Amino acid sequence: MQLPRHEYILAMAEIVALAALIGRLLVSQLVGVYEFFFCYLIVDLLDTVWPFFVPFNDLYGRMYMASQVIRLCLYVLIVFELYSILLRDLKGIARLARRYSAFALGIAILLSLLVVTALPRQRNILRRLFYFEIPIISSLVLFMLLIAVFLTYYPVPLHRNALVYAIGYVVYFISKTTLLFMINLRLTASLRAFSTVLLYVGLGCIVFWAVSLSRAGERRMLSVGSRWSPPERQQQVLLRLREMNDSLLRARPK
């Protein structure tokens, strides 16, 4: 597949950056902490490489569809992984968040199936896949915004790596899904310019992770919530949050 020169250079830069990030996670022994994220990076690297070797034909379409299905599954798993990592010191609240998110995601999947079956049958199977993805991806965006609001309000101590992971992934996910929506909605008038911008954003996130994620970042603690409140108020809010977490842990079914 032929690409404009600048997009070809960006794709090559993304391949190098992804390989560097994968190597960084391996050397730093962070693969076991960010398992689904690591799997996604492998898939993303392969997805960036194989279009240069596969002719633009039916095989290309089938491989693209398979990669989108795999990506969608990993998007879901990464969001749940984000909850576990960001709230690793509040396991009761993390479990409650995953439970309600799984319930909402199940509704989104049912809605996706209804959308696909209710709409006129598309001849292009990729279009049907896109209609299936819409409610699921929209739900994932909402989940990430909710966790961002939670962490902004509550002064939850976070591992530095977890914060780096979350910030980068929110931007990366939104840039990737925005490009996906633009392609499937056939916004051809602005697609080329926006796709180039989003490629730069995605590359920037990968470089940000490669530079910022480290073994030492698993030991360094930060707090980003309630920065506008006095320290005494922050401690009171955090105390109530920990009491809620302890109550949820005690209420766990035996």
Side-chain angles (χ1 to χ4, degrees):
M1 184 176 62
Q2 296 296 320
L3 291 175
R5 181 181 295 272
H6 68 282
E7 290 191 7
Y8 179 84
I9 294 173
L10 275 174
M12 292 296 102
E14 185 170 351
I15 290 172
V16 173
L18 282 168
L21 177 54
I22 290 169
R24 174 81 163 180
L25 293 177
L26 288 170
V27 171
S28 301
Q29 299 178 342
L30 296 175
V31 176
V33 181
Y34 307 98
E35 295 176 349
F36 294 121
F37 178 54
F38 182 78
C39 292
Y40 176 83
L41 293 175
I42 297 293
V43 171
D44 201 19
L45 178 60
L46 294 176
D47 279 353
T48 308
V49 171
W50 69 257
F52 291 103
F53 302 97
V54 178
F56 197 73
N57 52 23
D58 290 341
L59 175 61
Y60 185 99
R62 289 194 294 270
M63 291 184 67
Y64 175 80
M65 186 178 67
S67 71
Q68 287 303 114
V69 172
I70 295 172
R71 280 176 179 269
L72 185 61
C73 294
L74 286 172
Y75 286 152
V76 173
L77 294 172
I78 285 175
V79 168
F80 287 107
E81 184 176 70
L82 267 174
Y83 282 152
S84 298
I85 290 173
L86 291 172
L87 302 175
R88 68 177 72 176
D89 296 326
L90 298 169
K91 297 186 183 299
I93 294 176
R95 185 169 59 246
L96 182 66
R98 290 195 302 270
R99 184 183 306 162
Y100 281 104
S101 297
F103 177 75
L105 187 62
I107 294 177
I109 292 173
L110 289 176
L111 182 60
S112 299
L113 293 173
L114 290 174
V115 168
V116 172
T117 55
L119 289 175
R121 187 173 181 83
Q122 298 285 328
R123 295 179 60 186
N124 189 337
I125 191 171
L126 291 177
R127 299 293 293 175
R128 296 203 298 273
L129 176 62
F130 171 65
Y131 289 133
F132 178 79
E133 289 176 320
I134 291 175
I136 299 175
I137 289 179
S138 300
S139 300
L140 296 178
V141 171
L142 178 60
F143 296 159
M144 287 189 288
L145 292 177
L146 287 175
I147 191 66
V149 170
F150 177 85
L151 294 175
T152 300
Y153 180 77
Y154 290 103
V156 179
L158 300 172
H159 296 265
R160 181 180 180 275
N161 278 349
L163 184 60
V164 168
Y165 176 31
I167 292 173
Y169 186 71
V170 169
V171 177
Y172 187 76
F173 177 79
I174 291 177
S175 68
K176 288 285 186 179
T177 53
T178 299
L179 182 58
L180 172 67
F181 273 67
M182 292 182 66
I183 291 173
N184 283 279
L185 292 176
R186 299 177 181 177
L187 302 178
T188 53
S190 53
L191 177 60
R192 181 59 65 185
F194 272 101
S195 66
T196 301
V197 172
L198 293 173
L199 284 172
Y200 276 111
V201 172
L203 178 60
C205 291
I206 296 170
V207 173
F208 171 67
W209 281 321
V211 171
S212 303
L213 290 174
S214 66
R215 193 66 188 173
E218 288 298 297
R219 297 187 294 271
R220 184 179 174 186
M221 302 298 293
L222 301 170
S223 178
V224 296
S226 296
R227 303 297 293 179
W228 59 88
S229 301
E232 297 79 9
R233 173 63 178 169
Q234 294 182 33
Q235 291 300 319
Q236 292 174 1
V237 172
L238 185 58
L239 179 60
R240 288 200 297 270
L241 191 64
R242 293 193 182 281
E243 290 173 350
M244 181 192 305
N245 178 73
D246 293 341
S247 298
L248 290 170
L249 287 176
R250 287 194 297 270
R252 181 179 181 178
K254 302 297 183 181

